[in-house]
Amino acid sequence: TVLDVPRGSHRITISVIGAKAVLIRPFFSSPKQAAEPMVSITPIEAARSVTVSEGEKLIPYYSVLRGKPVKFRIVGPTRLELTTRLDFVATMRGVQAYRISVSKGGQRIRVAELKTTKATTAAYTDLKDRTASKTDRIVLPLGDGTHEIVVELLEPKTGSAEVHARIPQPSVGREE
């Protein structure tokens, strides 16, 4: 049974009829917050761009190749969300591991050790010899100022991954 309880302090009493005891597992959750509008970021440097078709949407991704990172310039403060996908080739099966490095100003700030499988609902429209993986997310808070963010593929040694960057939509004008 789900109880929709309004904001405030409440006392709830539960009684049992027809049994000596019952197991109760209460779950508490906050109301769903409205999704924050996000905007995509185009890199200042990338080896290539590819398009992922997922449902009715076409989403631009940028290739992270071994020795050819993707570079972004972001003005903070903001939160950077990187969505990554490993490129599967015909010989890859099952769960695959990959490592992504994120650097800021020449300093490595995050190494993500990720595992993924082939996506069932997403496909590359312009990479016919590759299959998209399911997505992984890396979220980074960025402080005031301009940030040069570099995304590199550390593993696998041969292969490629794709990255799509987003930030919360900046507000325009004065905030009251």
Side-chain angles (χ1 to χ4, degrees), residues 70-151:
V70 175
K71 297 178 183 176
F72 297 96
R73 185 171 292 134
I74 312 289
V75 177
T78 192
R79 186 181 78 251
L80 175 62
E81 178 184 286
L82 299 171
T83 303
T84 63
R85 293 178 183 271
L86 180 64
D87 297 342
F88 273 73
V89 295
T91 58
M92 296 166 79
R93 302 272 187 265
V95 176
Q96 298 290 320
Y98 67 113
R99 291 176 56 215
I100 296 283
S101 166
V102 182
S103 300
K104 179 174 80 168
Q107 297 289 321
R108 189 169 281 167
I109 58 172
R110 177 84 50 93
V111 173
E113 310 235 354
L114 307 165
K115 291 186 178 179
T116 191
T117 57
K118 289 181 182 178
T120 56
T121 60
Y124 297 128
T125 62
D126 35 16
L127 288 180
K128 300 302 179 195
D129 61 334
R130 303 275 194 266
T131 302
S133 76
K134 294 177 181 172
T135 60
D136 288 295
R137 282 200 170 66
I138 303 166
V139 178
L140 302 164
L142 299 175
D144 283 327
T146 301
H147 306 276
E148 295 259 341
I149 303 295
V150 178
V151 180

Side-chain angles (χ1 to χ4, degrees), residues 27-93:
F27 289 99
F28 302 93
S29 66
S30 299
K32 288 187 179 179
Q33 296 180 0
E36 183 175 26
M38 304 287 279
V39 293
S40 296
I41 301 296
T42 302
I44 57 173
E45 189 177 316
R48 68 179 175 214
S49 66
V50 300
T51 303
V52 172
S53 172
E54 190 162 30
E56 299 285 321
K57 293 189 267 183
L58 296 175
I59 305 162
Y61 277 76
Y62 300 92
S63 298
V64 183
L65 309 173
R66 187 85 172 151
K68 294 182 181 178
V70 175
K71 297 178 183 176
F72 297 96
R73 185 171 292 134
I74 312 289
V75 177
T78 192
R79 186 181 78 251
L80 175 62
E81 178 184 286
L82 299 171
T83 303
T84 63
R85 293 178 183 271
L86 180 64
D87 297 342
F88 273 73
V89 295
T91 58
M92 296 166 79
R93 302 272 187 265

